[in-house]
Structure formats: structure tokens, C-alpha cells
Amino acid sequence: MAFSLGVVMDPIAQITIGKDSTFAMLLEAQRRKCPLWYMEQGDLTLRDGRCLAHMRALEVQDDPHNWYSLKESSVQPLDGLETILMRKDPPFDMEYVHTTYLLEQAAARGSLVVNRPGSLRDANEKLFTAWFPDVCPPTLVSRCHAEFVDFIDDQQDVIMKPLDGMGGASIFRVRSGDPNRNVIIETMTAHQARYTMAQRFIPEIREGDKRILVIDGDPIPYALARIPSAGENRGNLASGGNGVGVALSAKDHEIVKTVAPRLREEGILFAGLDVIGDFLTEVNVTSPTCIRELDQLYDLNISAMLLDCIERKLAAQR
């Protein structure tokens, strides 16, 4: 079933198509004869309660030298599109929040926005784990210097990270007795003015930070374990991690089963769970990646699974 599909993303001219999950989705949608419409964040506008967009017809091809072509821009109501993929990468700043309000107007007029705009606002990728404490490591979110000192002394070895980052940026490992502990806390919290997360360090990171992709609550049976490079604590591919395919373990399935009902309830059709050892550490909902890597490793078509899910949602909506 062909349907009109718009995408809000970072500049397509700057992506690396061999690793870009949004590009994989666009290739599959085009294969299904879906008309594609391209937008960047600044192309959206709100006029008298209706979201409009400067959108351009898009064609894609799996060619690293010539992967896209765009037609002339035209202003159209965003709700004229049956489906909109919100695939703008973090940072999750106020501009991102404002964009979700605009997308919400299109959703109210019948467009299926993936993922649901209100849930993109509510499901902070770090804080959303608070709904699932039974499958998470000991965690503290605070601005208070003394609370972090106590937490580090209690857990002995922790990871500190900002609530709005991505790609492993500004992640610190801090041990009890670390002479840099105070300055790290001061830097991360901006001298107690910014909320920060600390989680107990999970030594199984040496086996990889697993990215588990979940479509409408159902997991892809394989994950990409992102293994830190030598001398690193971060497995993020953007930080030099090496991606290795692994089958989901029984514990991985248990974690997905714990999280899935809430994902469905929130209209989060496509999510990426980050799991280290036996613990959930993050729930990625803005622009989860690793489609192309897993497709290549296991001869999958994860984008087709997502598009099938979107087709079912559209059919039910109709």
C-alpha cells in the first residue's frame, strides 16, 4: 500500500548513507512507490493553528556518490501527508520541543507522526528509564553536589552523563576517591544548576552496549553490540566503538517485555533500547539508528518491518 510520506531530518546532503537509518527507511518507502517529501526543522511553520511546510519532493538511490535528488520547494499543509517521520537528531533542545508542538497540529488533523510528538517530548531518552527501575542499574538524577558524592561513594564506580546528549558526548566515569570527582560533578551539573544522571558502572560494557531495535513493542531478534575501543568506556559508534551483531538473550527479551507496553501506550512505533549486561540504560526514541548495520549482518529488512507497521496503523486509522 503506497502512502505519502514526509521526513523531517538533518540535512540529507551531510548523511553517511551506509550507516543512516533514516535513509534505509526512505529507500524502502520509495520501493513501495510512496511519494517522498523532504523537510528540515526550519522548513516547518505554524499559521492560524495549521502546520505548513516548505517541502520538496525527494528521490533516493543507494549510491554513495549520488544518493538523493530534490525538486523545487513548495509550501503545503503538513497534514496533507499521511505519514511523517520525525528523524531530527538531538540535541533535544527547546527548538526540538517547539517542533514537536508544530508536528502535533498535523497529527491532530490526521497525519500519523512517527514517533508521536507528545511522546518525543515526554520520553527523555535518559529519564524515561525511570519507569522501569526493576531492569535498570542503580541510578541518580540530581543537581545536588553532595548527593552525587554520596552516590559515588555508595556505588564505588559510576557513569555520569547529561540528560540531553547523544553519541557518547560528555560521558564521564568516576570512581570513589577519584581526585577529579568534585570538578567532574561541578562541570556536569554546572555548579548545581543542571540536572545530571549517574548510573552504576556496568563492567559488562566490555562485551558491548547493545542497541535493541523495537517496532511497536516487538524486538528485532538481533542487537548491535557496540564495543568500546581500547582505553574507552563508551561503546557509541560515534565515539569509536566497534559494532558486533549478537542474538538477543533471555534477559534482553525480558527487558523488552517490561518496556513494550509503555512504548505502545505512548505511540512510540520505533525505539532503540540500550542494554549493557543485564541492565537497561537508555530508551532512544528521537532517531534510533543501527538499521543498516543489522540489515547487513543478518540479511534483514528492518525498514520493511517498520513500514508494514505504519501501513497497519494507517489502515486502522482509515
Side-chain angles (χ1 to χ4, degrees):
M1 177 183 77
F3 52 87
S4 56
L5 185 145
V7 61
V8 180
M9 61 184 290
D10 292 300
I12 194 168
Q14 298 174 16
I15 66 174
T16 302
I17 66 169
K19 296 180 177 294
D20 197 276
S21 292
T22 304
F23 189 75
M25 297 174 192
L26 294 173
L27 285 172
E28 177 60 24
Q30 182 173 272
R31 189 189 67 79
R32 298 180 183 217
K33 310 299 184 185
C34 296
L36 302 180
W37 296 91
Y38 170 83
M39 292 156 281
E40 296 174 19
Q41 197 170 14
D43 291 326
L44 304 186
T45 184
L46 188 66
R47 178 67 185 267
D48 299 327
R50 193 172 196 185
C51 188
L52 308 174
H54 298 261
M55 59 179 75
R56 288 171 279 181
L58 169 68
E59 293 182 1
V60 290
Q61 44 276 337
D62 204 359
D63 178 347
H65 304 291
N66 181 31
W67 61 89
Y68 74 99
S69 60
L70 292 168
K71 303 298 185 183
E72 290 297 318
S73 175
S74 62
V75 179
Q76 302 180 42
L78 194 59
D79 57 83
L81 300 173
E82 292 174 273
T83 300
I84 302 155
L85 301 177
M86 175 48 168
R87 294 286 300 174
K88 172 71 178 67
D89 283 342
F92 190 91
D93 53 16
M94 284 309 299
E95 284 303 297
Y96 192 105
V97 171
H98 295 155
T99 303
T100 67
Y101 287 122
L102 272 62
L103 290 170
E104 211 161 34
Q105 292 300 322
R109 292 174 179 263
S111 295
L112 176 63
V113 183
V114 180
N115 289 313
R116 183 185 294 164
S119 296
L120 290 175
R121 291 196 301 272
D122 293 344
N124 175 278
E125 300 184 333
K126 312 294 191 297
L127 289 172
F128 198 55
T129 58
W131 293 102
F132 319 107
D134 292 345
V135 295
C136 293
T139 301
L140 171 69
V141 176
S142 180
R143 305 198 315 187
C144 177
H145 190 111
E147 289 182 357
F148 281 111
V149 170
D150 290 344
F151 185 79
I152 293 166
D153 284 342
D154 183 51
Q155 300 299 323
Q156 294 294 301
D157 195 353
V158 310
I159 292 292
M160 293 188 68
K161 51 189 172 181
L163 296 179
D164 57 357
M166 66 168 289
S170 299
I171 291 180
F172 288 87
R173 181 179 179 183
V174 193
R175 297 175 176 87
S176 180
D178 188 329
N180 292 309
R181 177 173 66 179
N182 285 335
V183 72
I184 290 172
I185 296 171
E186 291 166 5
T187 300
M188 295 297 293
T189 66
H191 294 274
Q192 304 191 96
R194 181 172 57 217
Y195 280 107
T196 300
M197 173 177 278
Q199 292 176 325
R200 185 177 70 199
F201 177 74
I202 306 168
E204 287 82 1
I205 183 63
R206 62 180 177 272
E207 298 165 11
D209 180 354
K210 288 179 284 188
R211 168 60 56 83
I212 301 173
L213 297 180
V214 181
I215 297 174
D216 199 21
D218 295 323
I220 304 304
Y222 303 97
L224 193 73
R226 297 158 297 171
I227 299 172
S229 58
E232 263 285 1
N233 295 307
R234 303 171 296 174
N236 310 74
L237 299 182
S239 301
N242 179 40
V244 176
V246 294
L248 297 196
S249 67
K251 185 63 178 182
D252 294 335
H253 281 286
E254 179 187 326
I255 290 171
V256 174
K257 187 176 180 180
T258 300
V259 177
R262 187 62 186 263
L263 294 178
R264 294 190 183 104
E265 179 184 335
E266 296 288 343
I268 298 172
L269 295 191
F270 188 58
L273 309 187
D274 287 352
V275 174
I276 302 175
D278 290 338
F279 297 102
L280 175 70
T281 60
E282 294 186 17
V283 181
N284 294 271
V285 301
T286 51
S287 56
T289 60
C290 298
I291 284 180
R292 301 219 80 178
E293 293 89 343
L294 288 170
D295 280 354
Q296 184 175 8
L297 285 168
Y298 295 105
D299 194 24
L300 300 172
N301 188 341
I302 295 169
S303 297
M305 302 177 200
L306 176 61
L307 270 289
D308 287 345
C309 175
I310 289 172
E311 287 185 0
R312 291 192 295 271
K313 297 292 182 182
L314 289 174
Q317 214 167 267
R318 289 166 180 164

